[in-house]
Amino acid sequence: HVLTIEYNSVMELHKLSTLVLTANSLQHLLKAALYGLTSLKKLVLVETNRTSLSELPIGHLHTLQELNLGHNSITSLKLPEYFANMTSLRHLSFFSNKITSISRGDLDALREGNRLNLTLVLSLNNIKSIEPGAFAGIHLAELALRSAFESSMMQTSLQGLAGLQVSRLIVGGFSDSGRRQDFERGLLDGLCQVQMEEFFFLICLRDFEDDTDTLFNCVGNVST
């Protein structure tokens, strides 16, 4: 039932490496609420009533490696400029939020520096559109898009990943989803402009037709 973290509340915790605030409906996070956490590596804000990234007072947490914002009501993936300085970040999760679109410029902060070790989790959002160029020039270790699209929007949304370079791309649903999708010609054509090493396509396809050879047209160079 923590509702507020006030000014300098934790400033003496210089050696704290992990802070978990799960299921506390934080209503007020003052600008200096987390000031003093100079060694923080993991911050978990799951189910904390977050609606926006701009309100998070974390720009000074340069040692942060993991930021978990799962199960909130964040609607925009627009990363504040301070993310460009969080070069130690390895895991950024927006699992089960309310992100419906990704626009060009939303991820600009990730274009700064070396992000080859960063995992970005967007699973269980209801993404209806990704603007062309939104992922252009982005380098990631992993991008997770499980149950992130309506089945009818997958083909169009994947086209928005053009220009992405990623070691591992995960697309599809979860094993207990029970949904089957008809095969569409060119379903994965959007991946022709994505550089990736490993591709996980977690989906149950049905009604294969004679043109199923198009399924792997754009993933012929992956190792896994």
Side-chain angles (χ1 to χ4, degrees):
H1 301 292
V2 176
L3 300 179
T4 304
I5 300 180
E6 297 182 353
Y7 180 78
N8 289 341
S9 295
V10 294
M11 71 173 301
E12 300 299 328
L13 302 178
H14 302 300
K15 296 184 179 181
L16 188 71
S17 63
T18 300
L19 177 59
V20 181
L21 293 166
T22 298
N24 288 282
S25 298
L26 300 173
Q27 296 178 5
H28 302 288
L29 278 175
L30 301 181
K31 186 175 181 180
L34 302 178
Y35 183 80
L37 300 179
T38 55
S39 301
L40 195 67
K41 295 181 178 179
K42 180 177 181 178
L43 178 59
V44 180
L45 295 171
V46 171
E47 292 185 53
T48 53
N49 203 33
R50 301 299 91 210
T51 59
S52 170
L53 291 174
S54 60
E55 64 186 17
L56 290 179
I58 61 173
H60 63 287
L61 300 177
H62 300 309
T63 60
L64 199 64
Q65 296 180 4
E66 179 178 343
L67 176 59
N68 191 338
L69 292 161
H71 295 279
N72 280 292
S73 299
I74 296 171
T75 58
S76 173
L77 195 59
K78 176 66 176 177
L79 299 182
E81 292 182 1
Y82 62 70
F83 270 88
N85 299 321
M86 300 175 70
T87 55
S88 297
L89 201 61
R90 298 292 180 266
H91 189 93
L92 178 57
S93 177
F94 295 93
F95 186 95
S96 190
N97 271 268
K98 299 185 182 301
I99 297 169
T100 58
S101 64
I102 303 174
S103 302
R104 182 193 296 265
D106 283 356
L107 301 174
D108 279 355
L110 298 184
R111 292 187 172 88
E112 304 291 333
N114 184 356
R115 300 293 181 169
L116 298 178
N117 294 319
L118 177 63
T119 292
L120 177 61
V121 179
L122 298 175
S123 300
L124 278 179
N125 282 273
N126 188 18
I127 299 173
K128 299 180 183 298
S129 67
I130 300 178
E131 185 178 2
F135 281 87
I138 301 294
H139 296 182
L140 299 172
E142 181 177 309
L143 175 61
L145 290 165
R146 300 182 67 176
S147 295
F149 312 119
E150 295 180 5
S151 58
S152 60
M153 299 301 298
M154 179 179 291
Q155 184 172 359
T156 302
S157 295
L158 290 179
Q159 293 173 358
L161 299 181
L164 170 68
Q165 181 176 327
V166 61
S167 296
R168 175 182 294 170
L169 177 62
I170 305 175
V171 175
F174 290 90
S175 59
D176 60 351
S177 65
R179 292 185 300 176
R180 301 177 68 191
Q181 179 172 327
D182 291 338
F183 173 78
E184 298 176 69
R185 184 176 181 86
L187 181 62
L188 302 181
D189 282 0
L191 300 181
C192 283
Q193 303 300 319
V194 175
Q195 296 183 47
M196 55 187 173
E197 297 176 13
E198 300 181 7
F199 178 52
F200 292 80
F201 187 44
L202 309 173
I203 194 166
C204 183
L205 292 170
R206 63 183 179 187
D207 297 336
F208 277 76
E209 299 176 358
D210 293 338
D211 55 7
T212 54
D213 60 317
T214 65
L215 185 62
F216 300 109
N217 280 359
C218 295
V219 294
N221 292 324
V222 301
S223 61
T224 302

